[in-house]
Amino acid sequence: MFKDKKIVFSGVQPSGTLTIGNYLGAIRNFTAFPEDHHCYYCVVDEHAITVRQVPAELRRRTYETLALYIACGLDPEKNTLFVQSHVSEHAELAWILNCYTMFGELSRMTQFKDKSAKHADNINAGLFTYPSLMAADILLYQTDLVPVGSDQKQHLELSRDIAMRFNGVYSDTFTVPEPYIPEAGARIMSLADPTKKMSKSDENENAVVRILDDRDAIIRKFKRAVTDSGSEVRRGEGKDGVGNLMSIYSAFTGKTDVEIEREFEGRGYGEFKAAVGEACADALAPVKAEFDRLMGDKKYLEDVMAKGAAEAKQNAARTMSKVRRKIGFIEARRPF
Ligand code: TYM
């Protein structure tokens, strides 16, 4: 398919209040693409219902996630910002791709294994086929690049396999996407248990720093972060907690490990944790202020959603029509 621009696509689930993991691993990098890229950023509400959601909270978080996209610097005039359920082609293509995705492949997904262990009373088919919907999100727009944190790498590899399999059967239909994983911040760990990924659904509030936490909460959470019995600021065996704080500090300040080690030589963990808290709070303060302003203007957010959905739909419809033709569906005559 002829494209005059590289296409970027990514999504965030409105399944909790977003963390600095979501920010450093994904959203912050959404703003990194130059203007010769066409960027689609989606609030993936259809993915969120693979886990039971309270309807009013899902609705509120959908607005909030969109507001956060904008507050983090995504200009709705330059990016296509939209809500997944507003573009019905996502669910439609997901069904088709389900028929080109193997049971064995889905069974190997670590996110499925983790989530089914965590929600043992609700291991639904949607949780299992989640990666086919994610592949549909990406492939609908002929995406070249997908900025994500490293936990999504396995899903992305499966999206590539599905695209190549489909192209192999029906000739070139989908662009095969590449992951775009940042060097600093690709995997931010829990502050309470640095062997575990920081997750927006963690029930322990001290384990996660949320993008919208106020300054005092951010500084307090970093002060309480689990480290080790030593005092040296450097990476090493048994120093997962310090290593995680170094990654966060590096992602917010741009400093390298060597620079950080030098800066905190002989100063101990207390001072280091305070500095990480300050750097994080300073970076997030303008985001929070802009978020609060945007949440006061729902009408504006709804205008952005509507404009984004219309733009997305136009391009999604083009891919869908090609897919239907290739697999042998009769194109419906419109109007019916
Ligand atoms: P989600 O909503 O869990 O997370 C959104 C983004 O944040 C990244 N992320 C992290 N990065 C670094 N450290 C962490 N602790 C951390 N936690 C989360 C995730 O890697 C992700 O980039 N399946 C996706 C949503 C999705 C999607 C897509 C992404 C649906 N369709 C198509 C890209 C393209 C998810 O659950 O993300």
Side-chain angles (χ1 to χ4, degrees):
M1 183 186 265
F2 172 75
K3 287 187 284 189
D4 56 348
K5 288 184 167 192
K6 283 241 183 246
I7 311 284
V8 177
F9 182 98
S10 197
V12 174
Q13 295 190 65
S15 55
T17 309
L18 302 192
T19 72
I20 56 167
N22 301 123
Y23 179 72
L24 297 174
I27 302 181
R28 189 174 72 156
N29 306 306
F30 293 177
T31 56
F33 298 95
E35 296 215 352
D36 58 350
H37 289 57
H38 186 152
C39 300
Y40 295 87
Y41 296 117
C42 184
V43 182
V44 291
D45 53 351
E46 290 172 335
H47 278 92
I49 62 163
T50 53
V51 169
R52 205 64 81 225
Q53 302 290 338
V54 176
E57 283 180 16
L58 179 61
R59 208 168 292 128
R60 174 176 52 78
R61 289 193 186 124
T62 302
Y63 281 106
E64 285 181 359
T65 308
L66 181 75
L68 262 179
Y69 278 173
I70 304 169
C72 289
L74 293 174
D75 179 348
E77 295 302 320
K78 296 189 178 146
N79 300 274
T80 301
L81 308 182
F82 70 107
V83 176
Q84 187 182 30
S85 63
H86 292 178
V87 181
S88 55
E89 283 79 358
H90 288 251
E92 191 181 356
L93 183 60
W95 169 255
I96 293 173
L97 296 183
N98 266 332
C99 303
Y100 300 84
T101 310
M102 299 301 133
F103 181 87
E105 288 174 320
L106 293 172
S107 310
R108 283 194 288 277
M109 294 293 115
T110 54
Q111 184 167 305
F112 171 69
K113 291 188 214 162
D114 292 349
K115 285 207 174 169
S116 39
K118 202 164 155 204
H119 304 278
D121 55 340
N122 185 23
I123 307 177
N124 60 73
L127 195 62
F128 188 62
T129 61
Y130 181 111
S132 319
L133 177 58
M134 184 160 158
D137 299 339
I138 297 167
L139 302 184
L140 262 181
Y141 300 97
Q142 305 296 339
T143 302
D144 297 286
L145 285 171
V146 185
V148 280
S150 62
D151 63 324
Q152 294 301 315
K153 202 168 166 223
Q154 195 187 29
H155 285 162
L156 217 78
E157 273 158 14
L158 182 54
S159 299
R160 288 170 56 85
D161 290 343
I162 297 171
M164 288 189 275
R165 182 172 302 142
F166 196 99
N167 288 349
V169 177
Y170 300 105
S171 80
D172 252 10
T173 308
F174 298 121
T175 301
V176 180
E178 297 282 345
Y180 179 92
I181 295 173
E183 254 171 55
R187 190 169 172 81
I188 302 297
M189 310 307 277
S190 153
L191 297 191
D193 176 358
T195 60
K196 235 177 65 184
K197 188 189 80 166
M198 184 181 285
S199 158
K200 53 175 128 59
S201 55
D202 200 314
E203 276 152 24
N204 177 1
E205 266 309 306
N206 287 322
V208 289
V209 176
R210 303 196 186 270
I211 304 178
L212 300 172
D213 278 345
D214 61 36
R215 187 174 195 91
D216 290 350
I218 294 175
I219 288 171
R220 179 168 32 81
K221 287 180 184 183
F222 278 112
K223 268 193 188 146
R224 288 197 188 147
V226 167
T227 45
D228 55 78
S229 56
S231 62
E232 272 177 76
V233 175
R234 61 169 174 82
R235 292 183 196 270
E237 179 106 12
K239 293 175 80 75
D240 295 330
V242 172
N244 186 39
L245 295 178
M246 286 175 76
S247 299
I248 296 171
Y249 192 60
S250 162
F252 279 118
T253 61
K255 293 178 184 170
T256 64
D257 280 359
V258 176
E259 287 168 334
I260 299 170
E261 282 170 19
R262 219 175 285 141
E263 183 178 353
F264 293 97
E265 208 173 330
R267 290 171 65 188
Y269 290 162
E271 276 191 54
F272 176 50
K273 287 177 176 182
V276 183
E278 295 285 341
C280 175
D282 286 349
L284 296 180
V287 173
K288 184 167 162 43
E290 181 61 359
F291 171 86
D292 290 341
R293 191 187 70 75
L294 288 162
M295 283 304 284
D297 192 352
K298 275 226 171 111
K299 160 85 173 53
Y300 171 72
L301 294 175
E302 284 165 359
D303 288 347
V304 170
M305 282 179 199
K307 174 178 162 293
E311 280 166 17
K313 195 163 179 79
Q314 206 180 22
N315 291 305
R318 212 176 302 148
T319 298
M320 269 321 298
S321 138
K322 189 164 148 189
V323 168
R324 286 193 209 99
R325 194 162 17 89
K326 293 225 179 181
I327 55 183
F329 290 173
I330 297 173
E331 189 80 7
R333 211 167 57 197
R334 292 174 206 279
F336 296 105

